[in-house]
Amino acid sequence: MVTSKFGERYDRNFNTLSLKEQKRLGASKVAVIGVGGLGGGVCEMLARVGVGHLTLIDGDSFEASNLNRQLLSEEHLIGTPKAQAAKNRVNAINSEVIVKHLVEYVDESNLYERIKDADLVMDCLDAIDTRFMLQKAAQKASIPIVSGAIAGVTGQVTTIFPGDKGYELIYGQKSRKQSKGVETMTGNIAYCALFVAALQSSECLKILLDRGDILRNKLLIAELWTNTFDIMDLV
């Protein structure tokens, strides 16, 4: 059992995780960029499993259209900054997690500073342009990215390490203006968002603990209407 003021908090993590691994998670630092549909689920899972330091970044506030899928949104929170709600949720789940929340949008001017002290960054964004900016900043900070995206009931996950081509292999070269993805036309369903958030959280733990198979230079695509799951080699 991990020494904790809650004593039994992590009992059900064992023996999937060892005591050494649990302590390693407690010392790990993860930045989550975007705490909406994907990021809200990621925050929930990382806090429960015991990742000790979370930086939660989102400049948006909840609106009624978020209620169909975003775990952290509630009717009484309409108008509340998502980053603040994410911090409150993490604190309610696991008060031992050290949380830094930033109510701001990220771009080339601030991304590196926001993620440079993290061990890993979770891409829960919805804009392709910003993903390319994130990859540039993560490469400068020498940290990996776990990226998720959803559209309707289709989701994808990949992991990008410094030096990898990453998003270029998925979206093509960044030679033109690229903004929102296909989800602006398809919508997003709650269970797909949480499914992909779970896959991202799994990738995060595998990287932090250096175990298991990761999706580096691979793209996992899940289509939930047909229960189709494919892993594509990107190189």
Side-chain angles (χ1 to χ4, degrees), residues 155-168:
Q156 67 183 42
V157 179
T158 192
T159 290
I160 303 168
F161 277 72
D164 294 347
K165 290 186 176 180
Y167 295 121
E168 180 182 328

Side-chain angles (χ1 to χ4, degrees), residues 16-35:
T16 299
L17 303 179
S18 68
L19 177 60
K20 182 179 179 181
E21 287 173 326
Q22 190 66 61
K23 290 180 176 179
R24 186 169 177 177
L25 290 180
S28 296
K29 300 177 181 180
V30 175
V32 182
I33 313 294
V35 289

Side-chain angles (χ1 to χ4, degrees), residues 30 32 35 43 53-60 80-91 98-104 114:
V30 175
V32 182
V35 289
C43 292
H53 303 258
L54 293 176
T55 298
L56 312 176
I57 307 173
D58 199 312
D60 202 5
T80 300
K82 295 180 181 180
Q84 181 64 59
K87 172 181 167 55
N88 293 346
R89 178 62 177 172
V90 170
N91 287 157
I98 297 171
V99 184
K100 179 180 181 180
H101 78 291
L102 297 167
V103 182
E104 63 180 24
R114 300 299 179 256

Side-chain angles (χ1 to χ4, degrees), residues 7-228:
E8 298 179 358
R9 173 183 295 279
Y10 299 119
D11 274 5
R12 295 301 184 270
N13 283 3
F14 307 123
N15 286 308
T16 299
L17 303 179
S18 68
L19 177 60
K20 182 179 179 181
E21 287 173 326
Q22 190 66 61
K23 290 180 176 179
R24 186 169 177 177
L25 290 180
S28 296
K29 300 177 181 180
V30 175
V32 182
I33 313 294
V35 289
L38 292 175
V42 165
C43 292
E44 177 94 7
M45 293 176 225
L46 297 187
R48 289 191 183 279
V49 81
V51 172
H53 303 258
L54 293 176
T55 298
L56 312 176
I57 307 173
D58 199 312
D60 202 5
S61 297
F62 287 120
E63 55 189 44
S65 63
N66 301 144
L67 292 168
N68 84 309
R69 71 196 182 283
Q70 296 193 14
L71 182 66
L72 302 180
S73 63
E74 301 176 24
E75 291 181 359
H76 72 97
L77 292 178
I78 299 302
T80 300
K82 295 180 181 180
Q84 181 64 59
K87 172 181 167 55
N88 293 346
R89 178 62 177 172
V90 170
N91 287 157
I93 292 169
N94 190 343
S95 60
E96 295 180 335
V97 177
I98 297 171
V99 184
K100 179 180 181 180
H101 78 291
L102 297 167
V103 182
E104 63 180 24
Y105 295 103
V106 291
D107 57 29
E108 288 179 323
S109 70
N110 62 8
L111 261 169
Y112 171 73
E113 288 298 321
R114 300 299 179 256
I115 68 172
K116 66 179 182 179
D117 295 324
D119 299 307
L120 182 151
V121 60
M122 304 294 279
D123 163 19
C124 301
L125 294 160
D126 62 358
I128 296 170
D129 274 343
T130 314
R131 288 195 171 105
F132 278 97
M133 295 178 200
L134 175 60
Q135 183 171 326
K136 181 178 179 181
Q139 178 153 339
K140 182 179 178 181
S142 298
I143 61 173
I145 302 168
V146 176
S147 176
I150 56 172
V153 293
T154 300
Q156 67 183 42
V157 179
T158 192
T159 290
I160 303 168
F161 277 72
D164 294 347
K165 290 186 176 180
Y167 295 121
E168 180 182 328
L169 299 175
I170 300 171
Y171 301 113
Q173 291 187 352
K174 191 177 183 298
S175 58
R176 59 183 176 82
K177 177 73 174 175
Q178 294 173 300
S179 163
K180 300 289 185 178
V182 70
E183 71 276 2
T184 55
M185 296 178 287
T186 63
N188 288 316
I189 303 299
Y191 57 80
C192 185
L194 292 175
F195 175 76
V196 172
L199 293 174
Q200 285 185 269
S201 299
S202 174
E203 282 291 286
C204 176
L205 259 66
K206 287 185 286 184
I207 294 167
L208 294 176
L209 299 177
D210 192 22
R211 62 179 289 190
D213 297 325
I214 61 173
L215 292 167
R216 183 177 185 181
N217 292 320
K218 298 178 184 293
L219 183 67
L220 185 153
I221 302 174
E223 209 293 329
L224 300 181
W225 286 136
T226 58
N227 290 327
T228 302

